[in-house]
């Protein structure tokens, strides 16, 4: 039986080579067999659950603002009344969302369509497991890559991998991650978008995007608990989706420079860790903790116990820019961290023009039909591959072609079903 192997993440960076063992195109016979068995379980689960959709019970979108009140942004009269009745609440920076700030500034444009439409004709209140699964795989060039993330994180244990995938998809449904990405920045806390707490800055030595979380910008007292949970889910999903064009992995750096006790939020930290482990295993090549504060030692003792083995072996504490250079060239490291990269962050608000494809109903229908066809073709080839009903070489080639068609269809559909990210506006 294939098992997980300890990795030395720093060695991979020093060699300038990504870990490829156990990834698409780099499977040995036993690993391929495990992948087949997990797919067999998934396909059976698709079939057994197709008539029992899962309810959206803990929507992160509907936990605040107009959405919580059940008001459509296209109902101008109801929107104006709600803002008039809640003017004190939305002026409070703890509760204010980006859409609230735009409204208060006189920008009444509808940035995304008021009616959210899930994929494959699912209702607004439920999703089928298979629909949510295929949407989750869209950020990968091959559905196998998504499945293998969970398989590798589960030590190549078929049952554990399947349970983790099932739990992950069910959480995505109950929290309505698809609608969260549909709403985009407009549903996010305005203060967080303004301070740039989490930014994509350059690439690491392996070519993956670098996301820097500036811990001193974390202000728990200035945002609600609901907005914190929404932020965690949105930031991680955004990072995962942006990594698609860079090899489906990213590097995350937590910059503890200048942080104080008022920035400490263990509840939020644990939420980030559990979300990473449950929804995005092995999405980040490494998690770096850039530390130069005595406060960190006590926090680290708590954090360390929350990490599963797959994340723990990829988490590295770096105390100076020289250590950080193992992972990121100095030219890509911000000046305030001892590097050479100069930038001035200014938040650019979303526009209707940036989300134009979301308003193109006919274009969405065509793109979704193309994606559905690609999914059906990949499922058909996967069944043949599992059954071994054709020559092994032919099955592999046919599946590879089906994965390529899936990749193209997913990329074409993407701008129709989610709002544009800040990183795509600048």
């Amino acid at each position: 039986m294939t098992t997980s192997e300890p990795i030395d993440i720093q060695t991979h960076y020093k060699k300038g080579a990504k870990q490829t063992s156990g990834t698409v195109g780099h499977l040995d016979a036993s690993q391929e067999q495990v992948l087949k068995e997990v797919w067999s379980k998934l396909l059976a689960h698709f079939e057994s659950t197709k008539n029992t959709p899962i309810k959206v019970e803990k929507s992160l979108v509907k936990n605040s603002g107009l959405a919580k009140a059940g008001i459509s942004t296209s109902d101008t009269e109801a929107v104006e009344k709600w803002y008039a009745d809640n003017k004190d609440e939305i002026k409070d920076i703890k509760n204010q969302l980006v859409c609230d700030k735009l409204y208060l500034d006189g920008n009444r444009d509808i940035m995304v369509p008021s009616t959210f439409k899930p994929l494959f004709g699912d209702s607004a209140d439920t999703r089928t497991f298979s629909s949510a699964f295929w949407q989750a795989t869209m950020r990968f060039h091959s559905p196998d890559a998504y499945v293998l993330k969970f398989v590798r994180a589960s030590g190549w244990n078929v049952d554990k991998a399947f349970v983790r995938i099932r739990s992950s998809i069910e959480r995505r449904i109950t929290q309505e991650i698809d609608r969260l990405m549909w709403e985009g920045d407009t549903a996010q806390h305005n203060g967080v978008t303004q301070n740039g707490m989490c930014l994509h800055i350059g690439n690491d030595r392996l070519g993956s995007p670098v996301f820097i979380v500036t811990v001193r910008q974390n202000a728990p007292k200035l945002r609600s608990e609901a907005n914190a949970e929404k932020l965690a889910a949105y930031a991680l999903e955004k990072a995962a989706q942006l990594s698609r064009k860079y090899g489906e992995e990213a590097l995350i750096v937590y910059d503890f420079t200048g942080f104080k006790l008022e920035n400490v939020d263990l509840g939020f930290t644990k939420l980030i860790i559990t979300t990473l482990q449950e929804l995005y295993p092995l999405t980040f090549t490494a998690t770096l903790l850039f530390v130069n504060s005595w406060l960190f030692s006590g926090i680290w003792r708590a954090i360390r116990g929350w990490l599963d083995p797959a994340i723990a072996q990829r988490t590295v504490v770096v105390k100076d820019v020289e250590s950080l250079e193992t992972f990121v060239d100095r030219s890509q490291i911000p000046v305030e961290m001892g590097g050479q990269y100069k930038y001035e962050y200014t938040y650019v608000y979303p526009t209707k023009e940036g989300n134009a494809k979301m308003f193109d109903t006919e274009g969405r229908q065509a793109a979704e039909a193309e994606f559905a066809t690609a999914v059906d073709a990949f499922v058909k080839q996967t069944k043949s591959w599992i059954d071994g009903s054709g020559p092994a070489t032919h099955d592999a080639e046919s599946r590879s072609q089906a994965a390529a068609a899936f990749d193209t269809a997913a990329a074409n559909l993407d701008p129709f079903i989610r709002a544009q990210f800040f990183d795509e506006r600048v």
Side-chain angles (χ1 to χ4, degrees):
M1 172 62 70
T2 299
T3 59
S4 57
E5 297 179 1
I7 64 167
D8 181 351
I9 195 63
Q10 296 190 61
T11 298
H12 281 292
Y13 271 90
K14 288 176 181 177
K15 291 181 177 179
K18 289 188 176 183
Q19 182 188 19
T20 57
S21 176
T23 63
V24 175
H26 301 277
L27 301 179
D28 61 29
S30 63
Q31 291 170 338
E32 182 171 328
Q33 182 59 36
V34 170
L35 181 60
K36 285 184 177 182
E37 291 178 24
V38 175
W39 268 115
S40 182
K41 284 180 172 289
L42 285 169
L43 295 175
H45 195 64
F46 294 163
E47 185 65 25
S48 67
T49 59
K50 65 182 181 181
N51 295 320
T52 53
I54 301 168
K55 291 183 179 180
V56 175
E57 296 180 323
K58 299 178 182 178
S59 174
L60 297 177
V61 177
K62 298 176 184 177
N63 64 7
S64 60
L66 289 168
K68 184 176 182 178
I71 297 174
S72 170
T73 53
S74 63
D75 189 341
T76 305
E77 185 176 342
V79 169
E80 291 180 352
K81 184 178 187 306
W82 185 87
Y83 274 110
D85 292 343
N86 295 274
K87 57 184 178 181
D88 291 334
E89 178 183 346
I90 64 171
K91 287 181 180 179
D92 184 347
I93 59 174
K94 186 173 183 178
N95 302 308
Q96 190 180 91
L97 305 179
V98 167
C99 59
D100 299 330
K101 175 62 175 173
L102 288 168
Y103 187 92
L104 292 174
D105 287 348
N107 188 340
R108 308 297 163 85
D109 282 346
I110 298 175
M111 301 303 170
V112 299
S114 58
T115 303
F116 167 65
K117 295 181 179 179
L119 283 183
F120 301 117
D122 279 352
S123 73
D125 298 320
T126 63
R127 308 286 189 276
T128 60
F129 180 89
S130 61
S131 294
F133 173 88
W134 292 116
Q135 185 162 0
T137 63
M138 283 178 63
R139 65 183 178 86
F140 292 90
H141 296 294
S142 167
D144 278 351
Y146 177 77
V147 174
L148 284 169
K149 292 287 187 183
F150 289 90
V151 171
R152 290 165 57 201
S154 302
W156 297 89
N157 182 293
V158 172
D159 291 332
K160 288 182 180 179
F162 171 72
V163 168
R164 288 186 68 163
I165 294 172
R166 185 183 65 194
S167 298
S168 173
I169 297 301
E170 290 173 351
R171 177 173 171 179
R172 293 179 69 89
I173 293 173
T174 58
Q175 292 189 329
E176 210 172 19
I177 299 298
D178 54 354
R179 185 175 174 186
L180 183 68
M181 307 318 290
W182 172 277
E183 300 289 345
D185 284 9
T186 60
Q188 292 302 305
H189 186 252
N190 187 59
V192 173
T193 63
Q194 289 293 317
N195 67 25
M197 186 174 76
C198 181
L199 296 177
H200 169 205
I201 300 178
N203 297 325
D204 66 12
R205 292 190 180 277
L206 301 182
S208 300
V210 177
F211 292 90
I212 296 182
V213 179
T214 307
V215 180
R216 66 178 178 277
Q217 297 283 15
N218 185 41
K221 294 181 180 180
L222 299 181
R223 64 165 185 264
S224 67
E225 184 177 341
N227 283 328
E229 187 174 13
K230 189 189 303 182
L231 168 64
Y234 182 69
L236 291 173
E237 179 71 12
K238 182 176 79 168
Q241 291 195 22
L242 286 172
S243 71
R244 186 179 191 273
K245 64 172 115 176
Y246 300 99
E248 303 165 351
E249 292 182 323
L251 175 72
I252 188 165
V253 182
Y254 289 90
D255 176 17
F256 284 85
T257 303
F259 95 111
K260 303 175 183 177
L261 280 175
E262 64 194 48
N263 305 125
V264 176
D265 187 349
L266 290 179
F268 183 61
T269 302
K270 188 172 185 179
L271 177 63
I272 290 281
I273 291 172
T274 56
T275 302
L276 268 175
Q277 294 176 167
E278 292 178 16
L279 270 59
Y280 309 101
L282 305 185
T283 294
F284 295 95
T285 52
T287 299
L288 307 184
L289 309 176
F290 187 72
V291 179
N292 59 3
S293 170
W294 62 271
L295 283 174
F296 178 77
S297 58
I299 297 172
W300 177 234
R301 281 194 293 271
I303 294 174
R304 191 167 46 191
W306 298 333
L307 304 177
D308 73 11
I311 289 182
Q313 66 179 346
R314 292 168 178 263
T315 301
V316 182
V317 177
V318 291
K319 297 186 177 181
D320 50 50
V321 71
E322 288 75 21
S323 300
L324 188 55
E325 279 191 286
T326 298
F327 303 89
V328 186
D329 187 85
R330 192 172 289 230
S331 65
Q332 303 284 291
I333 300 173
V335 171
E336 56 264 37
M337 296 173 70
Q340 300 170 345
Y341 187 78
K342 295 181 180 180
Y343 74 97
E344 186 173 337
Y345 174 74
T346 302
Y347 180 67
V348 177
Y349 281 92
T351 63
K352 184 175 182 177
E353 292 73 23
N355 297 324
K357 285 194 173 183
M358 296 182 72
F359 293 87
D360 179 1
T361 302
E362 291 184 3
R364 155 78 184 255
Q365 290 174 343
E368 189 169 341
E370 178 193 13
F371 183 65
T373 299
V375 166
D376 289 344
F378 185 83
V379 169
K380 179 181 178 180
Q381 295 302 329
T382 297
K383 288 180 178 178
S384 176
W385 170 67
I386 292 171
D387 295 340
S389 54
T393 302
H394 178 268
D395 284 345
E397 290 178 354
S398 297
R399 256 187 115 241
S400 179
Q401 292 171 1
F406 174 93
D407 183 25
T408 299
N412 290 340
L413 177 60
D414 183 51
F416 290 97
I417 61 172
R418 70 162 176 85
Q420 190 181 52
F421 297 137
F422 164 80
D423 312 70
E424 298 165 324
R425 294 196 294 272
V426 296

